[in-house]
Amino acid sequence: MNVIEVKDLSFVYGVDTPFEKKAVDNLSLSIKQGEVIGLIGHTGSGKSTFVQMLNGLIKPSSGQVLLEGKDIWEKPKEIRKVRFKVGMVFQYPEYQLFDETVYKDISFGPRNKGLGESEIDETVRRAAKFVSLNDKLLGKSPFDLSGGEKRRAAIAGVIAMDPDVLILDEPTAGLDPKGRDVLLSQIISYHKERKNTIILVSHSMEDVARIADRIMVLNHGRLEMLDTPRAVFSRVDELESMGLRVPQITRIMTILRGKGYDFSDGILTVGQAFEEVVNLLKKEGKR
Ligand code: ADP
């Protein structure tokens, strides 16, 4: 079943001004319930504008966003309901923490949703656990947390809304490699348990390759590709012409293919490359 369907979707900033800019240009696509989509594109390619249209934060200039088959703008007064179903973690979400305690911050969404006190408590603790936020931290002020903890507390606040679709805009931006790995693993295990739909916006190809079922590539507001990571990363030259850097191992394997080595295309990880090399050596009787 399609959870999201987008039809001829466009967004123009500054209509009728000298700064008029078409940020999203006539996109049509559908996303199935439970899919993990990696959204990549150069800065300014329209990623943020696109995802903000998915949860009704901005209204399309033209075209439609259907959520479970219904146009989200059919009843504009009910647009808030869409934001409960489509949760968004913004870039640097830790700047949105504002309450006295981490607990109060995470409970803000469920409380707004009208849940009872015991349900709120259960939801907050479950969300905190998903992002490995220790119970002891819940009573602290968000400002006393470390950078990584703040980020996880902010993500817990969105997870606590239990959204059917979770959009994460550059969730690992500014984290060190270890923090990045931990956060990605948490997102993967959250998805395994909840089986909800996830859209991960990133300019790290490595991150999206690890997590996505399909990768969506935007360039100048247009949808250039929407396919499996392997199919997308087999188009190295096109990606590079859009200013996107493919994983280094993908690049190396592509260069070797060009030199006549019989490797598969779209290799994404060192592990896959290793297997390819071992197989090739076996074929040539060298191992
Ligand atoms: P990305 O998330 O891929 O970096 P954005 O959706 O933020 O891309 O931006 C797409 C285009 O729209 C860019 O050219 C950007 O400069 C322009 N843009 C984004 N926000 C605004 C705004 N509030 N006003 C005018 N132009 C904007």
Side-chain angles (χ1 to χ4, degrees):
M1 193 193 77
N2 287 333
V3 62
I4 286 177
E5 219 181 318
V6 161
K7 291 184 183 167
D8 307 320
L9 192 68
S10 294
F11 190 85
V12 186
Y13 287 105
V15 176
D16 291 337
T17 71
F19 309 104
E20 186 167 309
K21 169 88 200 172
K22 196 168 211 176
V24 169
D25 191 357
N26 210 30
L27 296 196
S28 295
L29 58 100
S30 43
I31 297 173
K32 288 193 211 65
Q33 203 287 319
E35 258 194 303
V36 179
I37 302 286
L39 170 51
I40 57 177
H42 199 266
T43 305
S45 60
K47 304 183 295 296
S48 295
T49 307
F50 171 67
V51 293
Q52 287 180 70
M53 282 194 278
L54 297 185
N55 85 337
L57 269 179
I58 55 177
K59 196 174 175 184
S61 306
S62 59
Q64 285 179 309
V65 175
L66 308 183
L67 182 63
E68 287 157 355
K70 272 182 131 178
D71 186 335
I72 62 169
W73 286 99
E74 195 180 82
K75 294 180 185 156
K77 281 190 184 144
E78 294 186 5
I79 200 69
R80 250 186 89 229
K81 287 190 186 160
V82 172
R83 293 178 203 147
F84 289 124
K85 288 191 171 183
V86 183
M88 175 104 89
V89 177
F90 292 94
Q91 284 182 35
Y92 295 93
E94 53 273 30
Y95 294 121
Q96 288 159 356
L97 297 169
F98 57 88
D99 232 316
E100 280 160 51
T101 65
V102 175
Y103 186 96
K104 281 191 182 168
D105 244 314
I106 303 177
S107 65
F108 181 80
R111 200 172 296 281
N112 261 343
K113 226 174 162 180
L115 299 186
E117 228 28 75
S118 68
E119 250 181 312
I120 291 177
D121 190 61
E122 202 181 301
T123 311
V124 170
R125 290 180 197 281
R126 200 175 49 222
K129 211 170 146 207
F130 265 130
V131 292
S132 306
L133 210 59
N134 195 306
D135 258 9
K136 278 185 220 144
L137 297 179
L138 294 176
K140 284 198 172 185
S141 157
F143 303 104
D144 291 335
L145 304 186
S146 74
E149 287 166 347
K150 274 189 202 150
R151 175 84 46 105
R152 284 186 276 141
I155 294 175
V158 177
I159 288 178
M161 311 264 279
D162 200 20
D164 295 330
V165 180
L166 176 65
I167 302 173
L168 299 140
D169 195 352
E170 299 275 2
T172 60
L175 297 182
D176 60 23
K178 183 155 176 279
R180 212 174 94 177
D181 272 359
V182 170
L183 187 57
L184 272 186
S185 307
Q186 281 163 347
I187 295 169
I188 293 169
S189 45
Y190 169 70
H191 174 257
K192 274 197 183 139
E193 188 164 330
R194 275 287 287 115
K195 307 223 171 349
N196 56 353
T197 309
I198 293 189
I199 301 175
L200 177 78
V201 181
S202 180
H203 53 240
S204 161
M205 299 274 204
E206 274 89 353
D207 284 4
V208 289
R210 261 181 68 185
I211 179 168
D213 298 314
R214 285 194 298 163
I215 291 180
M216 171 177 172
V217 183
L218 282 184
N219 190 34
H220 298 302
R222 284 187 298 274
L223 180 64
E224 297 286 348
M225 305 180 196
L226 178 58
D227 213 330
T228 60
R230 199 142 185 163
V232 166
F233 290 134
S234 67
R235 296 163 69 176
V236 175
D237 291 343
E238 278 170 87
L239 291 168
E240 292 196 336
S241 74
M242 295 175 212
L244 293 171
R245 292 225 332 261
V246 300
Q248 279 177 338
I249 191 70
T250 308
R251 223 170 170 277
I252 293 167
M253 295 302 273
T254 306
I255 291 169
L256 291 173
R257 258 169 70 84
K259 294 201 180 294
Y261 288 93
D262 185 18
F263 294 135
S264 310
D265 58 5
I267 297 286
L268 304 172
T269 65
V270 174
Q272 286 169 352
F274 180 75
E275 261 173 50
E276 292 277 328
V277 172
V278 169
N279 287 338
L280 187 74
L281 291 176
K282 270 187 195 156
K283 250 197 270 172
E284 293 183 353
K286 291 185 182 151
R287 204 183 146 110

